[in-house]
Amino acid sequence: MSAEPTRTAPARRALPRWLATTLAVVFGLFYAYDVWEAVGNVVGISTLASGLDTSISVLGWVVLSIGVAVPIVVFLIALRLGRGRDILAQVLVYLAGLGVVAVVSLGIVALFGAGELLT
């Protein structure tokens, strides 16, 4: 019987808490800007609707609500997925999340113009 040496995975260095928090805050500002844009869309569409003496349809409210919720949900997912990883992995997760938010926002704008959201 020969004993084979066991290989262990190299230990990952933990990212300092202040650096992880700084990354979350910096990227959180980008996600907050996307939320701000979505709220601006809600205000803009409701102003357009009132100017045209009409209202926002149920589909319009759902689409506009999704536009507000997506950046928040994606940021929370990116925050959770990046936790415990090194700095490069966290930055890449946040950037990928921003890409997802941009694609979803652009898809919403492309599929539903202002006319589709009004009754």
Side-chain angles (χ1 to χ4, degrees):
M1 282 180 130
S2 66
E4 293 185 26
T6 56
R7 294 184 179 177
T8 59
R12 287 193 291 179
R13 291 184 355 184
L15 193 64
R17 183 179 293 268
W18 68 268
L19 186 55
T21 304
T22 302
L23 282 175
V25 168
V26 168
F27 280 100
L29 292 173
F30 290 114
Y31 286 94
Y33 181 77
D34 286 332
V35 173
W36 183 256
E37 284 182 321
V39 170
N41 289 339
V42 172
V43 171
I45 295 293
S46 63
T47 302
L48 176 67
S50 66
L52 296 173
D53 288 332
T54 186
S55 62
I56 300 175
S57 66
V58 173
L59 175 65
W61 282 114
V62 169
V63 168
L64 292 171
S65 298
I66 289 172
V68 172
V70 164
I72 297 168
V73 170
V74 171
F75 175 72
L76 292 175
I77 291 171
L79 187 66
R80 175 67 176 110
L81 288 177
R83 191 171 61 178
R85 301 188 188 275
D86 64 347
I87 187 168
L88 180 61
Q90 283 190 13
V91 168
L92 291 176
V93 168
Y94 286 128
L95 287 174
L98 284 171
V100 168
V101 170
V103 167
V104 170
S105 299
L106 185 60
I108 287 173
V109 169
L111 288 175
F112 305 100
E116 293 288 324
L117 303 178
L118 303 176
T119 57

